[in-house]
Amino acid sequence: QAGEREEWYRIAVPDGQDRLEFRFGGDGRSRLLPLLEGAEGNPIELREADVSAGQRVFYAHVNAGSEVRLRVAEAPRSIMFVWDNSGSTARYHESMYRAMTSLADDIKPGFEVVNLMPLGEKGVAPLMKEWSSNPIDIKSAIGGYDRSGGSSNVENTLLAAMDHFGKGPGNHAIVLITDVESNGTSLNSKLWQRLREVHPRIFTIELQLEADTAKVSGYQDLMQGWAAVNHGDYRVFRSQADLDHAFERAACLLRSPAEYSVSWQPAPGKGNLQVVWESGKAMAGAALELVLDASGSMRSKNALVAGKLKMEVARDVMQEIIKVLPDDTEVGLRIYGHRIREGTAGDCKDSE
C-alpha cells in the first residue's frame, strides 16, 4: 500500500572507503524517497546525480569502516487532475465531474495531495491556491467551479501542471481527461522537454468521439505517448461506466507498490586535473569543434531572443567566434536535431 511500505538495508562500509554510490532502477524508481542514516540514527546526506539511462544515482560521504542504514520508501504523491471543459465534451461533463468528486473520497491524507486544472490557455492556474488532501476542500473546488472554461489546449495545460509540481523529478501524477481536439500542438517540443525533466506518471483517459479512423489513430498515439513517459496508463471512455472503470484503474495503479532495484558500491572520490605549460616548449596546433543545436525549438517564433530566432542568434555568435580564430586553427562543425523530430524514435542519434 502506497505510503505504508518501507524497506531497510544495512550496509557495512569497507575500510579505507568514505564515499558510497547508490543506484536505483526499475519502473518505480522516480517515486522513491531514499534516506541514509548512521548506526546511531544520525542522518547522512544523499546527493542525487544526473539521472543516467534507466537509473537514479545517489552519492553519500560516510565514515570508513562504519555501518550505515538505507531506508527506501515511496515519496509523498502529488496528483493533478486535468480535464477538458470545452464544448466538444459537453455531453460528458457531468460524468467527468462525478468521477472526480468520487475519487476525492479515496485521497490518503498526509501522503497524497491533489489539485485541479481545467484545460486553459496562457496563464491557466489550478482551481485551488494550495495543494490539498482534504476531500471537503477538493469537492468544494469542483462544485464551485463555474465551468466557464472552454479551452482545448492540452499541451499548454500539461506544461502549467508540471510547473506546479516543481522543477525536477518526484512522485508526480497527472490524470488527464480529454477528447484530444487540442489547439496547442505548436507546444509539443517544449512539452516533451518538460516531460523529460519532471517525469510525471500520466494517466490519459480519452473521450473517443471521432469517427475518422486516421484521426482516432493519431489521438491514440498522442495519449499513449504521454502515458508511456513514466509507466502511466491509457484508457478510452464513451460512457459513465467506462469513465468509472478508467478512474478505478488509475487509482489502483497510482497506489500500487513502487517496483525498484537498488545496488551500492564504494565510489571513488573526486579527482584533480592540472594542465601545465612548460615555458619554452611549443604548443600543438589548436583544434576546435563547434556544436550547433538545429532542432525545431531553435526556429520557433514562440521563444525569440531580442526579437530574433535562436538559430539566427547562434549563427551570429558562430560568425563572431570564427572571425577571431587564428589562421592555423583546425575547426570542425557538428549539428544535431535537424532531421528527426524531437521526441520521436532516433532523435538522440540525429547528429552529423
Side-chain angles (χ1 to χ4, degrees):
Q1 183 74 6
E4 297 177 0
R5 175 187 170 193
E6 62 181 38
E7 294 170 326
W8 289 83
Y9 302 88
R10 183 179 296 164
I11 303 163
V13 182
D15 292 334
Q17 302 289 341
D18 62 358
R19 194 164 179 258
L20 292 178
E21 175 189 89
F22 298 88
R23 289 183 174 266
F24 292 87
D27 293 350
R29 64 187 180 276
S30 68
R31 298 156 58 188
L32 301 178
L33 179 63
L35 298 171
L36 191 67
E37 64 179 40
E40 304 300 322
N42 52 299
I44 299 174
E45 183 181 12
L46 273 174
R47 291 192 175 184
E48 185 166 8
D50 291 338
V51 179
S52 61
Q55 293 185 320
R56 293 175 68 191
V57 183
F58 294 80
Y59 292 96
H61 289 282
V62 295
N63 294 323
S66 67
E67 181 181 281
V68 297
R69 294 191 294 256
L70 175 68
R71 172 186 178 268
V72 182
E74 188 170 351
R77 183 186 302 116
S78 50
I79 307 169
M80 182 72 81
F81 289 99
V82 176
W83 72 97
D84 187 336
N85 193 68
S86 67
S88 62
T89 64
R91 276 194 299 155
Y92 295 86
H93 285 174
E94 290 304 324
S95 296
M96 294 181 191
Y97 288 103
R98 192 156 51 242
M100 286 190 291
T101 300
S102 65
L103 197 62
D105 288 324
D106 298 326
I107 298 302
K108 293 176 63 67
F111 183 77
E112 293 177 331
V113 292
V114 167
N115 215 324
L116 309 152
M117 186 179 288
L119 297 188
E121 303 300 323
K122 186 177 181 180
V124 62
L127 296 187
M128 298 187 292
K129 292 183 178 180
E130 303 290 339
W131 294 87
S132 176
S133 59
N134 186 330
I136 296 176
D137 292 341
I138 298 166
K139 289 180 179 181
S140 295
I142 295 172
Y145 175 50
D146 62 12
R147 306 190 187 186
S148 60
S151 173
S152 298
N153 198 328
V154 179
E155 290 81 1
N156 182 70
T157 312
L158 289 176
L159 284 165
M162 286 187 284
D163 286 342
H164 286 274
F165 286 140
K167 299 299 182 184
N171 197 358
H172 309 314
I174 296 173
V175 179
L176 170 64
I177 314 170
T178 180
D179 62 358
V180 213
E181 289 278 2
S182 177
N183 61 320
T185 54
S186 63
L187 297 172
N188 260 332
S189 178
K190 184 177 180 181
L191 174 60
W192 280 104
Q193 178 62 39
R194 287 291 285 146
L195 289 171
R196 280 192 286 269
E197 294 168 357
V198 179
H199 216 54
R201 295 178 79 197
I202 304 181
F203 298 85
T204 55
I205 304 173
E206 180 188 351
L207 172 56
Q208 201 169 87
L209 300 174
E210 181 61 58
D212 186 323
T213 305
K215 281 190 175 183
V216 168
S217 178
Y219 293 160
Q220 287 180 336
D221 288 346
L222 196 59
M223 295 285 267
Q224 288 173 341
W226 292 333
V229 166
N230 188 12
H231 311 285
D233 189 56
Y234 165 71
R235 296 285 120 181
V236 171
F237 82 96
R238 299 184 185 89
S239 67
Q240 180 69 49
D242 291 342
L243 186 57
D244 289 342
H245 177 71
F247 264 76
E248 289 169 3
R249 181 173 174 81
C252 179
L253 293 173
L254 271 168
R255 299 182 175 108
S256 63
E259 296 182 2
Y260 72 94
S261 63
V262 60
S263 63
W264 56 83
Q265 64 182 6
K270 294 182 179 179
N272 293 294
L273 175 65
Q274 186 176 22
V275 180
V276 179
W277 175 67
E278 295 184 26
S279 179
K281 291 191 174 181
M283 297 180 66
L288 173 70
E289 181 175 61
L290 300 173
V291 181
L292 175 64
D293 178 356
S295 63
S297 61
M298 294 290 286
R299 298 184 294 275
S300 172
K301 295 181 180 179
N302 294 325
L304 300 179
V305 177
K308 302 172 69 175
L309 296 176
K310 291 180 181 178
M311 181 60 75
E312 295 175 346
V313 175
R315 183 184 59 199
D316 293 343
V317 170
M318 291 181 69
Q319 289 176 344
E320 292 300 317
I321 292 173
I322 293 170
K323 284 180 183 178
V324 298
L325 291 176
D327 292 339
D328 60 349
T329 303
E330 295 184 7
V331 179
L333 174 63
R334 176 170 292 278
I335 58 176
Y336 67 91
H338 56 299
R339 295 173 299 188
I340 300 177
R341 186 173 182 176
E342 186 177 0
T344 58
D347 64 339
C348 60
K349 298 180 180 179
D350 183 14
S351 172
E352 65 176 341

